[in-house]
Amino acid sequence: MIGSITSLLRPSAIASSSRFTLPLFPKPPTASIQQVRYRGQLAPKRTKYKKAAKGAPGTQIPIGGSLKGTTLHHGTYGLRACSSVRISAAQLSSCQMAVRRKIKPVKGAQMYLRVFPDIPVCVKGNEQRMGKGKGSFEYWSCRVSPGKVIMEIGGGGIREEIAKAALKLAQARLPLQTEFITLSSSPRLGKISHDNLASPSYARPVPNPIVELDVKDEGRARDVVLGREAEEVDELSRRLEGSVLDDVRPAAGKEVRA
């Protein structure tokens, strides 16, 4: 009697004698699962093609031959690239989190990203034979040329010491050499940075914070532009006066001979 009960309690006997079995659910196909984009993720919302070409040798990593994007536009302090490199979305996200955490105690301070990762990078495995198509998508990236402003900090009356400390955290997370710049920094053309590259004062754009204050009837954007023009005229008049005095002094020192 006991032997028959123990034989029935064996796992093999239970599995063979049970009439009910668990339903087998089909596994979801892994190929049809699409990449999920979260709200705070640095990635384009939609693209025309899933993959992109690497580009010509001059466009893969630009060498920097333009003055566009080399000066501050949104904030008062910024981080500017000194070499050309390709930055991934993960690296930019890490810098963004570190800088925002540092400037959080300063009320009204904001961070502005001047670059955006919109180039898909595809990677193939090591020791792969040639052919068989392009590799699979790996991450999003952006190309940065020398002199390009990567990020800016401004607002809330943030001090230069705090801005330097915050941007230093971003410098350690970027794979290139960068420099700290302010509103008084001169533009950069590749590896050349000089005040002569700056446009005339009357042609410089009014900073965005001043424009926003002027819209609210609290700022003096027009007065700022007129002040720049007045300073330019005063400097030009001083140079002309100096040149005239230099011409008059030698003539006065000459003796008149009969």
Side-chain angles (χ1 to χ4, degrees):
M1 185 68 181
I2 296 175
S4 62
I5 293 173
T6 54
S7 61
L8 290 174
L9 293 177
R10 290 175 184 173
S12 58
I14 295 173
S16 61
S17 61
S18 62
R19 297 181 180 180
F20 302 100
T21 57
L22 296 175
L24 298 176
F25 295 100
K27 295 182 179 180
T30 57
S32 62
I33 296 177
Q34 297 181 356
Q35 184 182 7
V36 180
R37 179 189 178 277
Y38 298 97
R39 185 176 181 181
Q41 186 178 0
L42 293 177
K45 292 183 179 179
R46 61 181 68 86
T47 54
K48 189 174 182 180
Y49 301 105
K50 294 181 180 179
K51 301 177 182 180
K54 188 175 289 186
T59 60
Q60 295 178 14
I61 299 179
I63 58 176
S66 177
L67 293 175
K68 291 184 177 179
T70 61
T71 54
L72 298 176
H73 186 69
H74 302 284
T76 53
Y77 307 100
L79 206 62
R80 187 163 61 184
C82 297
S83 59
S84 56
V85 76
R86 191 169 62 183
I87 304 177
S88 65
Q91 293 168 345
L92 287 175
S93 300
S94 177
C95 297
Q96 196 175 23
M97 291 175 60
V99 172
R100 284 182 176 176
R101 190 184 302 115
K102 184 68 176 179
I103 66 175
K104 188 176 181 181
V106 182
K107 187 176 181 181
Q110 292 183 0
M111 176 197 172
Y112 306 92
L113 271 180
R114 294 284 298 274
V115 294
F116 186 80
D118 57 350
I119 301 172
V121 178
C122 301
V123 179
K124 295 183 74 172
N126 296 331
E127 300 181 2
Q128 293 286 336
R129 291 182 176 270
M130 296 180 65
K132 297 184 181 180
K134 193 176 178 68
S136 59
F137 171 81
E138 188 72 15
Y139 59 90
W140 294 99
S141 68
C142 61
R143 300 187 183 104
V144 176
S145 59
K148 176 69 175 176
V149 178
I150 302 175
M151 60 187 67
E152 299 180 14
I153 293 177
I158 186 170
R159 294 184 298 173
E160 185 176 355
E161 300 82 19
I162 301 176
K164 272 187 177 181
L167 293 176
K168 193 173 182 181
L169 298 175
Q171 283 181 326
R173 290 166 169 78
L174 291 175
L176 76 163
Q177 185 180 359
T178 56
E179 61 177 349
F180 178 81
I181 60 173
T182 60
L183 288 173
S184 60
S185 301
S186 57
R188 190 182 183 96
L189 183 63
K191 296 182 179 180
I192 304 172
S193 179
H194 199 272
D195 294 336
N196 294 337
L197 297 174
S199 56
S201 59
Y202 55 82
R204 296 175 195 167
V206 180
N208 278 354
I210 299 179
V211 175
E212 293 174 0
L213 291 174
D214 192 60
V215 172
K216 299 177 183 178
D217 296 329
E218 299 177 1
R220 300 177 295 106
R222 185 171 177 275
D223 297 342
V224 170
V225 177
L226 293 177
R228 288 177 179 175
E229 295 180 359
E231 291 176 2
E232 190 80 12
V233 172
D234 294 341
E235 185 178 356
L236 184 60
S237 63
R238 279 193 234 102
R239 291 180 182 177
L240 291 174
E241 289 177 0
S243 61
V244 170
L245 291 174
D246 293 340
D247 295 339
V248 170
R249 284 170 185 170
K254 293 181 180 178
E255 296 180 357
V256 180
R257 294 181 181 178

